[in-house]
C-alpha cells in the first residue's frame, strides 16, 4: 500500500513564525546591555584581559567605543577592525538595529 500525506506544518510561516524587531522602546539598561551581556561580556567585561583591554560592561566604556566608531564597525564587520563576536556569528540584524537605534537616539544612559 502506498499512502501519500503531507505534514500539517507545510508552510514555513507556521513552522518558523516571523518575529518583529521592536525598536520603539530601546534603552541602554535593558536593550543594549542585554545584547552586550549575551554576546560580549564573556570577553569584554571586568578587566577584559581576553578582549584586548576593551571593556563593554558599563555605560561610559560603551559610550567611548560608540564615539570613536569602533562599536558599530566591529559588530557590522566593517572599518578594518576585527568583526565581533570574534570566532562567532555576527549579531542578528535586529540586535544590530537595536544598538544603532540607541546610538541614533543620542546614546542616552537610560
Amino acid at each position: 500500500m502506498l499512502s501519500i500525506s503531507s505534514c500539517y506544518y507545510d508552510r514555513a510561516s507556521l513552522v518558523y513564525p516571523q518575529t518583529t524587531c521592536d525598536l520603539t522602546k530601546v534603552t541602554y539598561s535593558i536593550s543594549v546591555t542585554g545584547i552586550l551581556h549575551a554576546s560580549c561580556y564573556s570577553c569584554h567585561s571586568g578587566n577584559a584581559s581576553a578582549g584586548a583591554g576593551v571593556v563593554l560592561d558599563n555605560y561610559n566604556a560603551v559610550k567611548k567605543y560608540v564615539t570613536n566608531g569602533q562599536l558599530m564597525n566591529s559588530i557590522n564587520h566593517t572599518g578594518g577592525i576585527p568583526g565581533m563576536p570574534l570566532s562567532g556569528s555576527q549579531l542578528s540584524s535586529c540586535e544590530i538595529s537595536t544598538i544603532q537605534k540607541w546610538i541614533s537616539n543620542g546614546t542616552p544612559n537610560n
Side-chain angles (χ1 to χ4, degrees), residues 21-64:
C21 185
D22 185 6
L23 300 175
T24 57
K25 296 180 182 178
V26 174
T27 66
Y28 172 76
S29 61
I30 296 172
S31 311
V32 175
T33 59
I35 295 166
L36 297 176
H37 184 268
S39 301
C40 309
Y41 282 9
S42 63
C43 295
H44 297 290
S45 63
N47 66 8
S49 60
V54 174
V55 177
L56 298 174
D57 64 0
N58 66 77
Y59 174 80
N60 290 328
V62 173
K63 174 89 170 166
K64 171 183 161 184

Side-chain angles (χ1 to χ4, degrees), residues 66-87:
V66 167
T67 301
N68 69 19
Q70 287 183 330
L71 183 67
M72 289 311 296
N73 282 334
S74 66
I75 64 175
N76 281 317
H77 296 199
T78 59
I81 59 176
M84 294 291 152
L86 196 60
S87 303

Side-chain angles (χ1 to χ4, degrees), residues 7-20:
C7 179
Y8 172 74
Y9 295 108
D10 60 351
R11 292 190 352 213
S13 63
L14 294 174
V15 179
Y16 307 106
Q18 296 292 337
T19 58
T20 58

